[in-house]
Amino acid sequence: GDSVTQMEGPVTLSEEAFLTINCTYTATGYPSLFWYVQYPGEGLQLLLKATKADDKGSNKGFEATYRKETTSFHLEKGSVQVSDSAVYFCALRGPNDYKLSFGAGTTVTVRA
Amino acid sequence: AAGVIQSPRHLIKEKRETATLKCYPIPRHDTVYWYQQGPGQDPQFLISFYEKMQSDKGSIPDRFSAQQFSDYHSELNMSSLELGDSALYFCASSPGSGTYNEQFFGPGTRLTVL
């Protein structure tokens, strides 16, 4: 079945450092890919998405490019802030699926 | 903007008791999804409804049942609770069931089974 493999954490960074979280997927057909963020004590928020190969999703300084040749959707941000401390989930949705399949989540802590 | 509402936000139950979780989708959203997130785990899909009909089913135990009502709100009923049912239960809604329709998540109900 469809699955997502995500870089394990936790990741600890200093403010203004570069962040990258690796995500690869296994899927039949052409899934849609997502990054969700979960701040402490809160629900999941959609950070960005891409629905076809070579699409680049971007939001709040975060970017991820749908790479079909490497089945990847790595998340990047050039300069993180303390407020970016959260758990980040990579997820996919198959072309005929209702559900989202999530990766294990990566906890990111940014220190001032 | 209106968001997905879940109630209660916190729930404490004893083993073998029953629990009912409620989800109120964003207005005009006709699709509801339920996910379970265990401690330190990724969210796992349980079940979804589109236009009051079950549309997909995941790893939902037989002790759990769910339905979507005419006003599109949904309830997840959990019986014979076990310690392992302690988790954060998320509801999400979307306008339609298409692959490109974003799922908007509620804040979750934290269930603790003692």
Side-chain angles (χ1 to χ4, degrees):
Chain A
D2 297 349
S3 66
V4 174
T5 301
Q6 188 174 339
M7 182 178 92
E8 291 189 20
V11 175
T12 303
L13 303 164
S14 298
E15 258 191 325
E16 300 182 4
F18 182 86
L19 170 68
T20 183
I21 304 176
N22 290 339
C23 171
T24 57
Y25 67 90
T26 302
T28 304
Y30 301 91
S32 296
L33 301 173
F34 307 83
W35 277 100
Y36 279 84
V37 58
Q38 185 176 32
Y39 298 103
E42 297 185 13
L44 296 163
Q45 298 176 28
L46 178 65
L47 183 58
L48 53 83
K49 68 178 181 181
T51 57
K52 60 182 187 296
D54 300 324
D55 264 1
K56 177 185 282 188
S58 60
N59 185 28
K60 300 181 181 179
F62 290 90
E63 291 183 344
T65 301
Y66 189 144
R67 301 286 188 200
K68 184 164 176 57
E69 63 276 13
T70 54
T71 61
S72 65
F73 193 54
H74 305 322
L75 182 68
E76 296 181 336
K77 185 174 185 181
S79 177
V80 293
Q81 304 300 313
V82 172
S83 58
D84 293 324
S85 298
V87 182
Y88 293 82
F89 290 95
C90 186
L92 72 78
R93 189 177 188 186
N96 299 310
D97 279 343
Y98 293 89
K99 67 180 185 294
L100 289 166
S101 297
F102 289 88
T106 302
T107 300
V108 174
T109 302
V110 181
R111 301 193 187 282
Chain B
V4 176
I5 297 172
Q6 291 188 247
S7 68
R9 293 292 308 276
H10 301 272
L11 190 59
I12 300 175
K13 291 287 186 178
E14 300 278 343
K15 278 173 53 178
R16 291 181 288 279
E17 286 190 323
T18 62
T20 297
L21 279 53
K22 297 184 179 182
C23 169
Y24 297 87
I26 293 171
R28 293 181 293 282
H29 283 197
D30 53 11
T31 306
V32 168
Y33 313 79
W34 286 97
Y35 294 84
Q36 176 192 58
Q37 185 181 26
Q41 305 293 313
D42 57 296
Q44 294 290 318
F45 171 73
L46 293 177
I47 196 166
S48 63
F49 294 88
Y50 169 60
E51 281 291 344
K52 293 155 280 185
M53 300 287 289
Q54 180 181 308
S55 53
D56 200 359
K57 191 173 181 180
S59 50
I60 183 169
D62 291 341
R63 299 177 290 108
F64 293 7
S65 65
Q67 59 181 323
Q68 185 180 32
F69 294 86
S70 57
D71 63 351
Y72 296 108
H73 94 273
S74 178
E75 295 184 4
L76 177 66
N77 298 293
M78 311 160 71
S79 62
S80 302
L81 287 169
E82 302 174 356
L83 296 178
D85 295 329
S86 295
L88 193 54
Y89 290 83
F90 287 111
C91 173
S93 73
S94 68
S97 60
T99 299
Y100 303 133
N101 292 329
E102 178 183 344
Q103 293 184 23
F104 294 82
F105 283 78
T109 294
R110 183 168 297 283
L111 172 66
T112 303
V113 181
L114 302 176

